[in-house]
Amino acid sequence: LACWVVGAALGISVRLCPQGSYSTASGQTQCLDCPMGSSTVGTGSTASSDCLVPVETLSLNGVSGDEVAVTVAEPADGYAYFLRVMSACGDSAATASVASASNDTNFLIDLADLPGGTYQICWCVGVPPRTCELQGEFGINVGSIAVAGPTVGTEQTCVRDVVCALTISGLGLAAGDEVIVAAECGASTAVANGTLASAASSWQVDLSVADVAPGLHSLCWCRGACTARTAAGTVRQNPATHAICI
């Protein structure tokens, strides 16, 4: 049985490695922590393989703005499993989406706030004192999810009363995807709308017929006919009489 040994004034104190750690040989002076996000079932573990991690590797596909259901194995007694979709497992500053659990094995991943791209599916087992509330606790990569949708952050400039070419970049964009210019994404009223002509991500917006006031507007994307639209960038409209599209 693996344990760690502590010298004492009147003798030797022998203790088992606590839950969440292990020792590969008897008599070692310290235990080794399991990788962040995993744990052992009990005390006295003797190998890194005792650290509890899920056995399945997940490979999922989804669409930005939608939800994805996922089922995992039944957790060991007394444990709770948690999932997050993150740009990098274990990174406390990573882009992330929390997966809500309807029971011990079924999760629903909300992709509403995730731009298009490929993300890691990160796992944490809740064993006191770990609560799996901090992103840094999700250190185990159990798969990946490809999220179809636009990337975010590009500002493009158009001029009122002319046709302006807007470009959207992302993952898995397709001809027929809906694009709108609106005060904010998710709003019911668009000031200009249309569809992508092809997967090349180009869209011609005719501002000569759209009542778009000068200023900064949201460029929003959606797969098919839907109302929950994902931000794809911003459009700044200038009141000048010549067109500058970047």
Side-chain angles (χ1 to χ4, degrees):
L1 184 66
C3 59
W4 54 283
V5 180
V6 178
L10 299 178
I12 298 296
S13 176
V14 179
R15 302 180 185 177
L16 299 179
C17 284
Q19 191 173 48
S21 64
Y22 63 95
S23 176
T24 56
S26 292
Q28 287 190 331
T29 58
Q30 64 180 2
C31 297
L32 303 175
D33 291 333
C34 288
M36 180 58 70
S38 64
S39 182
T40 58
V41 172
T43 60
S45 295
T46 60
S48 60
S49 57
D50 293 337
C51 296
L52 189 67
V53 295
V55 294
E56 68 267 39
T57 298
L58 303 173
S59 180
L60 305 176
N61 293 284
V63 177
S64 182
D66 287 350
E67 297 176 328
V68 173
V70 58
T71 300
V72 300
E74 187 79 23
D77 290 343
Y79 288 76
Y81 290 170
F82 300 86
L83 292 177
R84 290 194 183 191
V85 173
M86 302 173 64
S87 53
C89 293
D91 185 352
S92 59
T95 300
S97 177
V98 178
S100 59
S102 55
N103 53 43
D104 287 342
T105 62
N106 295 296
F107 293 83
L108 196 62
I109 302 173
D110 187 358
L111 305 179
D113 297 325
L114 290 181
T118 301
Y119 298 87
Q120 295 177 351
I121 302 173
C122 308
W123 185 82
C124 179
V125 56
V127 179
R130 184 188 299 130
T131 61
C132 295
E133 294 178 350
L134 303 176
Q135 284 194 184
E137 295 178 314
F138 288 78
I140 302 297
N141 183 350
V142 296
S144 63
I145 180 170
V147 179
T151 54
V152 181
T154 301
E155 180 179 312
Q156 304 178 73
T157 302
C158 291
V159 178
R160 188 172 182 173
D161 297 330
V162 297
V163 174
C164 184
L166 299 177
T167 300
I168 302 174
S169 60
L171 178 68
L173 303 182
D177 289 355
E178 185 179 87
V179 184
I180 68 169
V181 177
E184 60 179 338
C185 294
S188 58
T189 302
V191 293
N193 57 62
T195 57
L196 294 181
S198 69
S201 311
S202 62
W203 177 47
Q204 299 282 335
V205 54
D206 187 354
L207 298 179
S208 64
V209 296
D211 185 18
V212 186
L216 192 63
H217 306 272
S218 294
L219 179 60
C220 312
W221 170 93
C222 187
R223 169 61 47 82
C226 46
T227 57
R229 297 179 174 91
T230 300
T234 54
V235 177
R236 183 176 299 279
Q237 181 180 260
N238 294 333
T241 57
H242 62 282
I244 303 175
C245 298
I246 58 174

